[in-house]
């Protein structure tokens, strides 16, 4: 069974398994050959790379490619990497907008919640919130994300103006996920609850019409 499973794996981030054989002293695996040196050398090279140099569309889009595949094959590290990119101050919001991945991120959230993938839930919500913050088009909202947002917070509701020129243009697609955000507000884990609350409040600012429709449908 493990051999058949290895043979069936076909993914850009997984070494291809070709065959195996056994000797009196060793068990040998024949795997895909990776060029470019060992992992240690690659990490040393990345350590000397300016983060801003890799934040262009071609590179960033590769990090979000897992959303195009079967979600059950996703790795939590993929989600955390995407969150790190989306929340990086050096990241150009226009690059994230061009990816058009908001709907797929919402699908991921629905999937991990339905499948009780608890280790995915927090980083996926963080990724949602990072995109919604970008959707407001205002750097001032980033400071608010450090604490739970409140619907009754008048300072929040009045102080942030959405700049359509600098926001993620497909952020309105999260409107269809208002139901799951609201459900997760009642989660027993305070971290999950706070993240979901942030997403609800920020989305009402970033995409008020779509968020309100989603809210109405849920109620």
């Amino acid at each position: 069974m493990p051999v058949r499973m290895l043979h069936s794996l076909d993914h850009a981030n997984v070494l291809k398994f070709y065959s195996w054989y056994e000797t009196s002293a060793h068990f040998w695996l024949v795997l895909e050959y990776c060029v470019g040196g060992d992992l240690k050398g690659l990490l040393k090279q990345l350590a000397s790379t300016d983060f801003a140099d890799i934040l262009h569309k071609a590179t960033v889009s590769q990090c979000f490619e897992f959303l195009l595949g079967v979600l059950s094959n996703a790795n939590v590290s993929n989600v955390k990497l995407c969150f790190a990119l989306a929340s990086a101050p050096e990241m150009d919001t226009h690059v994230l907008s061009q990816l058009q991945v908001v709907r797929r991120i919402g699908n991921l959230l629905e999937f991990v919640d339905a499948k009780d993938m608890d280790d995915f839930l927090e980083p996926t919500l963080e990724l949602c919130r990072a995109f919604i913050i970008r959707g407001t088009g205002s750097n001032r909202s980033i400071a608010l994300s450090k604490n739970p947002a409140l619907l009754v917070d008048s300072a929040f509701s009045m102080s942030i103006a959405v700049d359509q020129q600098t926001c993620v243009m497909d952020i309105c697609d999260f409107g269809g996920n208002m139901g799951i955000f609201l459900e997760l507000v009642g989660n027993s884990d305070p971290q999950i609850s706070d993240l979901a609350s942030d997403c609800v409040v920020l989305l009402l600012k970033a995409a008020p019409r779509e968020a309100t429709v989603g809210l109405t449908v849920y109620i």
Side-chain angles (χ1 to χ4, degrees), residues 97-174:
S97 187
Q98 291 169 8
L99 296 178
Q100 296 286 299
V101 292
V102 168
R103 188 181 302 275
R104 296 184 183 277
I105 295 172
N107 292 341
L108 175 64
L109 177 63
E110 300 274 356
F111 179 81
V112 301
D113 180 63
K115 298 296 183 181
D116 295 322
M117 299 167 66
D118 295 338
D119 55 332
F120 275 77
L121 193 53
E122 183 175 333
T124 303
L125 277 171
E126 288 179 327
L127 178 59
C128 291
R129 184 178 64 171
F131 263 78
I132 298 172
I133 287 173
R134 294 279 183 172
T136 66
S138 172
N139 291 332
R140 295 185 65 186
S141 61
I142 295 176
L144 292 174
S145 71
K146 296 178 181 178
N147 295 295
L150 299 174
L151 286 169
V152 296
D153 187 346
S154 59
F156 167 80
S157 61
M158 299 299 293
S159 64
I160 302 175
V162 175
D163 183 353
Q164 295 294 335
Q165 301 300 315
T166 59
C167 67
V168 176
M169 299 306 295
D170 61 333
I171 204 66
C172 59
D173 287 343
F174 272 135

Side-chain angles (χ1 to χ4, degrees), residues 193-205:
S193 178
D194 287 348
L195 284 168
S197 177
D198 280 355
C199 289
V200 169
V201 176
L202 290 167
L203 189 58
L204 284 168
K205 185 64 181 179

